[in-house]
Every structure is written in structure tokens, then in C-alpha cells.
Amino acid sequence: MRLASIDLGSNALTVTILEQKYGKIHLIKEWVKFIRLGQSLKIGGQLHPHAKMRCLEALRSLSKKINDYSVDKILAVGTAALRNANDGEKFIETIEKECGISFKILSGEKEAELTFKAITHEFGYIGKSFFMIDIGGGSTELVKGDKVKIKSRISLNVGTVSFSEKYFKHDPPDSKDQNSAIKELDKMFSPLSLEKPTSLIIGVAGTITTLKAVELKMDNYDPSRVHGKQLTLNSIIALSDYLLSLSSQERAKLKGLPHERADIIPMGALILQTILRKIHHQRIVISDHGLRWGMIYRWMTENL
């Protein structure tokens, strides 16, 4: 059986085609389109017309590619941008009408739950309990739990796109920009100061995988060199300082960094180091398998 899993986020639209065979999952194909759906979006506001146009154009193209792979089931969800916009539900109706794909908008809690499902499935053999960090374009999800149940979860409206637009007024960000962002991040993540998880710290999503790719200076992204590998707090701080010293144009030339992430990756690095400082941890394990894989694992559990 072939399944297509689609994640429509605030920055990227990602499609993963997986095949279930003899009880195992195999990756067949994956596409990423940087559509920046969360462009200029405020909570309760409307999606930007240009962002919607980019999204529809990308989905029209990808729906044809999905059909070429003869998938049996499509699982499609939208996250922070769609749930924060007051026209999110209306837009997914437009998507279904024009592209033939039915989307469901996830709550922050459900997004965290499904991503955590992937984490426990992928890393259950090396850890009994987990603390998951999922930094997206419009929100950050933090989950603590074990293979049996989630013990706590937090979804915050702190994202690489939204916070970059709000706090980084210069390119590269000047000291005032950086200090304003750091002050707000410190405030937003202050509840984590009470957390001292002894569990395995897992980082998922594009910010964290991209930081590792930049550290490795990868010419072409290779998930096998990222998935299951580690990033230390010291390396994250060093990467953050370096990225903040460069303009977006200069960052776009770095190996391992897609040019579409060049303007938001410094904020992602700041968010990640803030979280690790708050929970007093020096390293994280990286997962390339996040929400889309969690959706597949959940569907298999309920339907096979």
C-alpha cells in the first residue's frame, strides 16, 4: 500500500510518499516547496493573497506528481498558518475544489501528538522517555512523554517566519533586533526553566535538520547523514552567531542551506538555543521523520 502524507506549514509544503510492505514503511519520494503561507500573517488575520497563490500553484503541481505514484490514500494536514488565519477553513475548501486534496487543520496539541508518535516509533529502541522540540514557521511544539503516553505538551505561537518578520527589521539583524528577539524568546519560554528533563531530547522539522546540514556543509541534503545524529548547544550557538553576522544573500550561498530558509534560519537557531538553555541540556538528537511520518504511523495503527 502506498500512502501520501502532506504537511502544509507556515513556511514549507512537504509531500512524502511512503510504501507499507510486510509491516514496514519505506520512503519512496519526497518533495518540498517553500511557499511561505505564513507571510505577514497575524493571529486572527487573513492569509496573504500572494501566499495563497503560491500554495495553490505548488499543490496543483504536486497533486499531479502524487497521482503518478498511484497512491492508495492521501493524508493532508495544515498547521500554524491555517489555524491562526481567520480564513484558514475557507482556504482549504478552495484547495479541495481546485486541487482535489482534502486537508484537515490540526490544533497545536494534535500536531504535537502526531509528531511525537513518529518520535516514539523511530527512537523507542534507544530511549524510554522523550522531550521533543518541533520548531516550525508559525509555532513551536514541545512534548514530554514516553512510548505509552504523553505527559505534557505545549504549543506556542513562536515560529521562525512570524518572529523573523516581527523582530528582524534589518539584514543582517543589528544588536537591537537581536536583543529584542532574545528578550521575547526568554519570556515566551520562561516556563521551561522549571523543566529539567532527564529524557532523550529529540529535535524535528526543517530548522533543526537544516542547522545540521549547514554544520556538515552538505552539497545536497542527505537525510541519512542527519537522522539520528546530534547537535550540541555549543555548535548551535556558534552557528547562530555566524548566521546572524551574515546577510540573507550571504547565507543563501552557504552549503546545506536552501536559499528559501536564508532569512529565517538565524531565528530558528536562536529559538533552539533558548530552549536548550532553559531545560539545561547540552545536545539534541535529530529526527528527519516528523509530523508526516506520525500521520502515517497513526493511520496504520487505526486502519491496518
Side-chain angles (χ1 to χ4, degrees):
M1 172 174 280
R2 283 191 175 180
L3 304 166
S5 184
I6 306 175
D7 173 8
L8 178 50
S10 299
N11 186 49
L13 166 64
T14 311
V15 178
T16 301
I17 295 181
L18 301 165
E19 187 167 53
Q20 188 273 335
K21 201 170 185 179
Y22 305 120
K24 293 185 178 181
I25 293 291
H26 304 278
L27 176 64
I28 302 298
K29 187 67 177 178
E30 192 161 71
W31 299 280
V32 181
K33 298 284 188 181
F34 294 98
I35 57 168
R36 197 62 63 90
L37 188 60
Q39 176 188 350
S40 305
L41 178 65
K42 292 180 173 58
I43 297 175
Q46 293 193 333
L47 296 167
H48 195 286
H50 292 168
K52 291 193 286 187
M53 287 175 60
R54 290 192 298 269
C55 181
L56 289 171
E57 182 180 352
L59 279 170
R60 290 188 193 103
S61 171
L62 289 172
S63 65
K64 294 176 182 177
K65 293 181 179 180
I66 292 170
N67 289 335
D68 289 341
Y69 278 82
S70 303
V71 300
D72 300 291
K73 178 72 176 178
I74 297 176
L75 306 173
V77 299
T79 55
L82 288 173
R83 66 174 171 258
N84 287 336
N86 65 17
D87 57 345
E89 290 287 351
K90 183 178 180 180
F91 184 54
I92 63 172
E93 292 176 5
T94 301
I95 290 174
E96 184 168 10
K97 181 179 179 181
E98 296 194 17
C99 306
I101 301 174
S102 178
F103 275 82
K104 178 181 180 180
I105 300 176
L106 297 180
S107 66
E109 291 72 21
K110 189 65 176 179
E111 178 184 354
E113 177 188 328
L114 288 170
T115 306
F116 194 73
K117 176 77 173 177
I119 295 305
T120 56
H121 191 282
E122 295 284 333
F123 295 96
Y125 68 98
I126 60 172
K128 293 183 178 180
S129 60
F130 307 90
F131 186 90
M132 183 195 79
I133 303 169
D134 179 0
I135 302 169
S139 67
T140 293
E141 275 65 51
L142 304 169
V143 183
K144 184 167 64 173
D146 54 34
K147 289 182 283 187
V148 178
K149 65 178 180 179
I150 290 175
K151 296 179 179 178
S152 66
R153 56 189 166 197
I154 303 171
S155 180
L156 298 172
N157 288 314
V158 178
T160 57
V161 174
S162 56
F163 265 52
S164 293
E165 289 182 347
K166 185 174 182 179
Y167 292 102
F168 287 172
K169 305 300 183 183
H170 303 86
D171 187 19
D174 62 17
S175 58
K176 184 177 180 181
D177 290 347
Q178 294 181 44
N179 290 336
S180 296
I182 291 169
K183 183 178 180 180
E184 183 62 18
L185 290 173
D186 188 66
K187 176 183 175 182
M188 293 293 289
F189 291 110
S190 59
L192 293 182
S193 297
L194 302 176
E195 294 273 1
K196 291 187 179 180
T198 57
S199 46
L200 187 65
I201 313 299
I202 306 286
V204 300
T207 288
I208 297 172
T209 57
T210 299
L211 287 172
K212 187 62 179 180
V214 172
E215 182 187 56
L216 294 175
K217 299 180 181 179
M218 296 171 64
D219 289 311
N220 296 296
Y221 183 75
D222 179 359
S224 68
R225 296 180 62 195
V226 173
H227 186 67
K229 304 304 187 291
Q230 296 187 4
L231 267 174
T232 66
L233 178 56
N234 285 340
S235 66
I236 294 164
I237 293 171
L239 282 168
S240 178
D241 291 344
Y242 179 55
L243 292 167
L244 284 165
S245 72
L246 304 176
S247 67
S248 295
Q249 191 173 17
E250 291 169 326
R251 285 182 223 120
K253 297 176 183 178
L254 297 176
K255 290 184 177 181
L257 179 58
H259 68 87
E260 297 93 345
R261 290 192 187 275
D263 60 331
I264 60 173
I265 193 64
M267 182 60 75
L270 279 181
I271 293 171
L272 181 56
Q273 67 168 285
T274 300
I275 295 171
L276 288 179
R277 288 179 191 274
K278 291 291 185 182
I279 63 174
H280 309 287
H281 263 264
Q282 297 299 311
R283 66 186 68 245
I284 60 168
V285 175
I286 305 165
S287 176
D288 186 70
H289 299 171
L291 175 59
R292 296 178 311 285
W293 290 73
M295 290 159 57
I296 295 291
Y297 293 140
R298 174 57 57 84
W299 188 88
M300 288 175 58
T301 299
E302 295 177 349
N303 294 277
L304 297 181

